[in-house]
Amino acid sequence: MRVRLRLFASLRDAAGIEAAELELPDDITVGEALDRLCAQYPALARWREHIMLARNRRYVTTADRLADGDEIALFPPVSGG
Amino acid sequence: MGGAGKKRFEVVTTPIDVNEVVGRVMAPEYGAVTTFIGVVRNHSRGRQIRYLEYEAYPEMAEEMLEQIGREIRERWPAIEEVSIVHRIGHQEPGEISVVIAVAAGHRADTFDAARYAIERIKEIVPIWKKEVAVGGEWWVEGPGHPQA
């Protein structure tokens, strides 16, 4: 299945990409996808425990499952206001 | 209804007009409007700030602002209207980064609701600020994972 990846702020700077199309096995969890990304972009691995995860613009945990066509976003703890 | 038909929760790239945001929630039925204004501070971490760069995940940020509005109405049923406008992009010290306006028939809950809104923004709304100071720049990161 295909999933769209987006990165923001310091994570985007660390990985050096802001978006990508990922080809992933069906029925994969968010955590498993994150494992693959950390292997592919080692700069992300350092931040792994702090990464906030959103699937289709909703916060999710690493246990959530992805579906074809999803948009998954990785970002650091927010700092607006 | 105050400011009928106007968008209540917005991420914008241009300067925020406070009166315009307040106008979105005002109506003759409501005797109280509390407004919070967030302003770019000219110093941070002992350094003089030149400017801030705010970045957002804009689609999700607006949805999270709407969620904060729903949470406020659940917690304080007397609150009639909420509007939150957050600006992103380049902002100089003294410029307005966020405006929150809360309206109700009476004043009591409007202060708590406005306070709640700014605290929740700092927990769940995907916006980040980069501080560009004299002699360095850095991303500011919040305290961590939210109760989303």
Side-chain angles (χ1 to χ4, degrees), chain A residues 39-77:
Chain A
Q40 191 176 353
Y41 301 97
L44 291 180
R46 280 180 57 207
W47 306 102
R48 174 160 181 155
E49 298 312 311
H50 301 283
I51 292 174
M52 293 173 75
L53 300 160
R55 173 186 172 225
N56 299 333
R57 308 196 295 272
R58 296 279 164 195
Y59 286 108
V60 292
T61 69
T62 52
D64 281 65
R65 293 194 179 277
L66 292 170
D68 188 47
D70 278 353
E71 176 170 285
I72 180 172
L74 276 54
F75 46 80

Side-chain angles (χ1 to χ4, degrees), chain A residues 10 12-13 59 71 79 81, chain B residues 54-55 57 124 139-141:
Chain A
S10 56
R12 178 205 51 230
D13 289 356
Y59 286 108
E71 176 170 285
S79 60
Chain B
Y54 281 88
E55 176 181 331
Y57 179 5
I124 66 167
W139 284 106
V140 180
E141 287 182 13

Side-chain angles (χ1 to χ4, degrees), chain B:
Chain B
M1 296 292 284
K6 288 187 185 161
K7 201 168 175 179
R8 296 288 192 278
F9 304 96
E10 219 175 346
V11 175
V12 300
T13 56
T14 52
I16 301 173
D17 176 343
V18 176
N19 284 329
E20 190 275 324
V21 178
V22 171
R24 297 183 197 194
V25 304
M26 280 188 72
E29 297 91 325
Y30 311 146
V33 176
T34 290
T35 306
F36 173 84
I37 302 172
V39 180
V40 175
R41 196 171 40 233
N42 70 358
H43 62 93
S44 179
R45 306 182 192 195
R47 306 267 197 118
Q48 184 185 338
I49 294 297
R50 295 171 55 214
Y51 60 90
L52 300 186
E53 286 288 346
Y54 281 88
E55 176 181 331
Y57 179 5
E59 311 93 313
M60 182 173 172
E62 289 194 342
E63 291 182 11
M64 289 296 113
L65 293 176
E66 288 168 11
Q67 178 178 318
I68 293 170
R70 288 194 297 273
E71 290 175 3
I72 285 173
R73 285 148 179 269
E74 285 167 15
R75 285 172 176 247
W76 295 281
I79 299 298
E80 300 283 357
E81 292 280 356
V82 181
S83 181
I84 308 174
V85 180
H86 200 306
R87 183 182 174 193
I88 59 171
H90 178 104
Q91 293 174 56
E92 310 264 334
E95 290 195 285
I96 294 171
S97 58
V98 61
V99 173
I100 297 163
V102 180
H106 301 276
R107 68 187 177 280
D109 291 340
T110 61
F111 294 97
D112 290 338
R115 171 73 187 267
Y116 179 83
I118 186 64
E119 301 301 339
R120 280 301 265 165
I121 286 170
K122 290 170 179 289
E123 290 176 350
I124 66 167
V125 179
I127 295 177
W128 306 268
K129 61 169 79 84
K130 182 193 274 184
E131 294 178 337
V132 180
V134 176
E137 61 177 55
W138 50 79
W139 284 106
V140 180
E141 287 182 13
H145 286 253
Q147 285 290 97

